[in-house]
Amino acid sequence: YRCDVGFTWDRLKKNCTVCSVRASSQVQPANSEWNYTHTPCYYQCMNGYVSMIGDRLLAENETVPEICKDCPDYAVEQGWLLPANATWRPSASFAEGEVCVQDSWDCQAGLLKNPVAGLCCATTDLPSTLPDFSEWDDSACILKCQSGFFPPFPSQLESDCLTCKEYLAQNSIPVSGCDSLGSSCSIPDRASA
């Protein structure tokens, strides 16, 4: 539960008490909420909103924002590059503790986000969701399984990154094709098997 505006949480009394020290600026900025857990009592920007005084960021020793700027507006002002087929995420969509940063963008529907390369990638031959043990190439829309997992490049047909033994078993191939470390996986010629 939360304390009302003008009240702060007293840990010893375990209830809300009137703020004895209030921050100098008591005008509530848009997109802010009452911070009842600190003294002095003050408003703070909600998750994802950027705390500013005038046209500059709130300094570390300052607590009271004048403006709580929406992430898309802040990103444009900062000149951050937005990939093709992407949109800046609105601050209201941010989860608890999430902050507005240069990769706070989402791809349009049907595209996957490659945050490493800063690209929105067509899902033509990519899995619909990113498999565990996969990683993006740092310059292109190439999804790879991490070292020791197979197939080398997951696709819609082979959408999981598996150990060698799992990969061979899934494909009904004798497990003898794995090296002792499981870092290489060879598929015997099925005609001779």
Side-chain angles (χ1 to χ4, degrees), residues 28-89:
Q28 181 177 6
N31 305 309
S32 70
E33 58 192 358
W34 183 248
N35 183 337
Y36 63 92
T37 61
H38 293 88
T39 300
C41 302
Y42 61 92
Y43 290 101
Q44 69 182 18
C45 292
M46 292 187 287
N47 269 344
Y49 289 88
V50 181
S51 300
M52 303 188 74
I53 293 181
D55 61 353
R56 67 175 175 80
L57 287 175
L58 204 65
E60 215 169 287
N61 63 341
E62 298 172 313
T63 55
V64 183
E66 291 176 354
I67 301 166
C68 296
K69 192 159 288 212
D70 197 16
C71 188
D73 297 335
Y74 182 72
V76 170
E77 286 178 10
Q78 295 302 304
W80 293 345
L81 296 178
L82 182 64
N85 302 310
T87 55
W88 293 112
R89 290 182 50 217

Side-chain angles (χ1 to χ4, degrees), residues 28 172 190:
Q28 181 177 6
S172 303
R190 290 187 186 204

Side-chain angles (χ1 to χ4, degrees), residues 1 8-17 37:
Y1 91 103
T8 188
W9 180 251
D10 186 318
R11 290 183 202 157
L12 298 175
K13 295 179 182 176
K14 301 210 181 305
N15 65 10
C16 295
T17 59
T37 61

Side-chain angles (χ1 to χ4, degrees), residues 13-153:
K13 295 179 182 176
K14 301 210 181 305
N15 65 10
C16 295
T17 59
V18 175
C19 288
S20 57
V21 180
R22 295 181 73 146
S24 57
S25 171
Q26 289 301 304
V27 177
Q28 181 177 6
N31 305 309
S32 70
E33 58 192 358
W34 183 248
N35 183 337
Y36 63 92
T37 61
H38 293 88
T39 300
C41 302
Y42 61 92
Y43 290 101
Q44 69 182 18
C45 292
M46 292 187 287
N47 269 344
Y49 289 88
V50 181
S51 300
M52 303 188 74
I53 293 181
D55 61 353
R56 67 175 175 80
L57 287 175
L58 204 65
E60 215 169 287
N61 63 341
E62 298 172 313
T63 55
V64 183
E66 291 176 354
I67 301 166
C68 296
K69 192 159 288 212
D70 197 16
C71 188
D73 297 335
Y74 182 72
V76 170
E77 286 178 10
Q78 295 302 304
W80 293 345
L81 296 178
L82 182 64
N85 302 310
T87 55
W88 293 112
R89 290 182 50 217
S91 295
S93 71
F94 283 47
E96 184 71 31
E98 207 173 355
V99 296
C100 178
V101 293
Q102 284 186 316
D103 74 344
S104 294
W105 48 268
D106 286 327
C107 295
Q108 293 174 359
L111 300 175
L112 287 176
K113 180 179 181 177
N114 176 344
V116 179
L119 298 170
C120 287
C121 301
T123 58
T124 309
D125 195 38
L126 294 174
S128 57
T129 59
L130 298 180
D132 291 339
F133 310 110
S134 67
E135 59 192 10
W136 283 107
D137 183 85
D138 63 2
S139 62
C141 286
I142 299 171
L143 186 65
K144 315 179 257 195
C145 286
Q146 295 173 359
S147 177
F149 292 89
F150 303 92
F153 302 99

